Amino acid sequence: MKDSYGFIAPFYNRLAKLVFGNQLAVAKRSFISRLGEKKVLIIGGGDGKDYQNYQENLLGDYWELSQSMLVLSKKNLHRSSLNFHLGNFRQKENHTFDEIWLHFVLDTMFDSEIMELLDQLKRSLNQEGRIFFVDFFQPTTLKNKMLQFFMISFFRMVAQHKRKNIPEYEELFKRCLWEKEKEQIFLKGWVKAQVWKISEG
Ligand SMILES: C[S@@+](CC[C@H](N)C(=O)[O-])C[C@H]1O[C@@H](n2cnc3c(N)ncnc32)[C@H](O)[C@@H]1O
């Protein structure tokens, strides 16, 4: 399996901090409560550095497509109770979670892959379970639009990033019958943290 993030993995977190300070880490902490009581599924968690401060309360599964990112996450989160897996998330029978964290991972996928994952994840949630989603949305300021253009170009070069644009996440979630419950906005709406539940209607 090709490790697209192999080159950038050792610098990824430092680079993100250089550009965004602590904002992305703060966004990832949105809506988190009573962590130690919940079983969490983290997909595409990267090097796991932003979860280090609360790793003792992390229990569940961690999936990474990049071998280099996975090695770093195991080291950075060695005090957690997470089970680490390499590859695309695969549903295990009778294995359900209270929360599924999708942090800056859906923007790396094609629409068809996002929809396939969102459909699959319905079977991985407990009855009251939720998806905790954080990602880049359409930027609203010229400065952020320019920065996004450079970021996408950079990741297309160094990490074989597949997309040239930002997915219409909300439309895709709704098409897969998910319902938005909560939202918090960062960086003038460029980054959003959202909580999604399975639609009742
Ligand atoms: C842009 S990075 C974000 C990393 C981390 N979530 C963060 O916020 O710093 C995307 C990560 O998702 C991983 N990834 C992409 N598609 C994946 C998939 N289908 N399953 C597991 N990991 C995936 C990549 O290997 C990469 O480490």
Side-chain angles (χ1 to χ4, degrees):
M1 191 189 309
K2 198 165 181 310
D3 186 352
S4 301
Y5 278 77
F7 170 72
I8 193 75
F11 324 105
Y12 182 88
N13 199 272
R14 258 176 293 165
L15 198 61
K17 294 276 183 301
L18 194 71
V19 180
F20 298 106
N22 220 24
Q23 284 289 293
L24 305 188
V26 171
K28 290 182 217 177
R29 286 202 298 265
S30 303
F31 307 117
I32 283 180
S33 69
R34 299 185 290 109
L35 251 194
E37 300 165 27
K38 294 174 183 166
K39 212 165 133 205
V40 180
L41 167 63
I42 301 174
I43 300 179
D47 65 9
K49 233 180 171 31
D50 286 347
Y51 309 136
Q52 261 182 326
N53 288 345
Y54 40 93
Q55 61 176 300
E56 282 84 355
N57 292 320
L58 281 175
L59 158 82
D61 282 8
Y62 196 102
W63 283 84
E64 242 309 321
L65 204 50
S66 157
Q67 167 82 43
S68 314
M69 285 292 203
L70 191 73
V71 168
L72 291 170
S73 63
K74 281 182 184 171
K75 197 168 114 220
N76 290 330
L77 302 174
H78 68 277
R79 290 199 305 278
S80 74
S81 304
L82 292 164
N83 303 308
F84 293 87
H85 308 272
L86 178 65
N88 274 299
F89 165 69
R90 281 185 310 278
Q91 158 106 28
K92 283 193 239 150
E93 213 164 315
N94 301 325
H95 222 72
T96 53
F97 300 86
D98 301 302
E99 291 181 6
I100 298 174
W101 293 4
L102 301 175
H103 295 164
F104 301 99
V105 62
L106 294 190
D107 67 340
T108 68
M109 299 180 188
F110 289 128
D111 287 2
S112 56
E113 296 172 293
I114 297 175
M115 288 183 65
E116 199 180 319
L117 180 65
L118 291 178
D119 266 336
Q120 197 184 356
L121 291 181
K122 283 191 209 141
R123 295 188 294 278
S124 302
L125 268 188
N126 289 337
Q127 208 161 26
E128 291 301 308
R130 299 288 188 267
I131 287 184
F132 283 44
F133 169 59
V134 186
D135 222 315
F136 288 107
F137 281 65
Q138 306 296 346
T140 50
T141 66
L142 181 63
K143 184 182 147 213
N144 291 350
K145 280 179 191 166
M146 284 166 59
L147 197 49
Q148 176 164 283
F149 173 78
F150 284 115
M151 272 168 43
I152 290 178
S153 308
F154 176 74
F155 279 98
R156 280 174 65 79
M157 259 189 321
V158 302
Q160 289 85 52
H161 184 80
K162 294 182 271 193
R163 298 191 68 114
K164 291 185 178 159
N165 63 359
I166 292 286
E168 292 293 338
Y169 311 103
E170 298 206 359
E171 197 188 306
L172 298 174
F173 267 99
K174 285 177 192 161
R175 266 162 57 184
C176 295
L177 304 178
W178 291 85
E179 191 180 319
K180 189 168 70 177
E181 194 176 51
K182 293 180 200 164
E183 178 174 87
Q184 214 170 322
I185 282 171
F186 300 85
L187 302 169
K188 300 194 166 109
W190 190 13
V191 169
K192 293 181 189 175
Q194 301 179 329
V195 177
W196 289 82
K197 63 176 183 175
I198 296 170
S199 176
E200 284 157 17

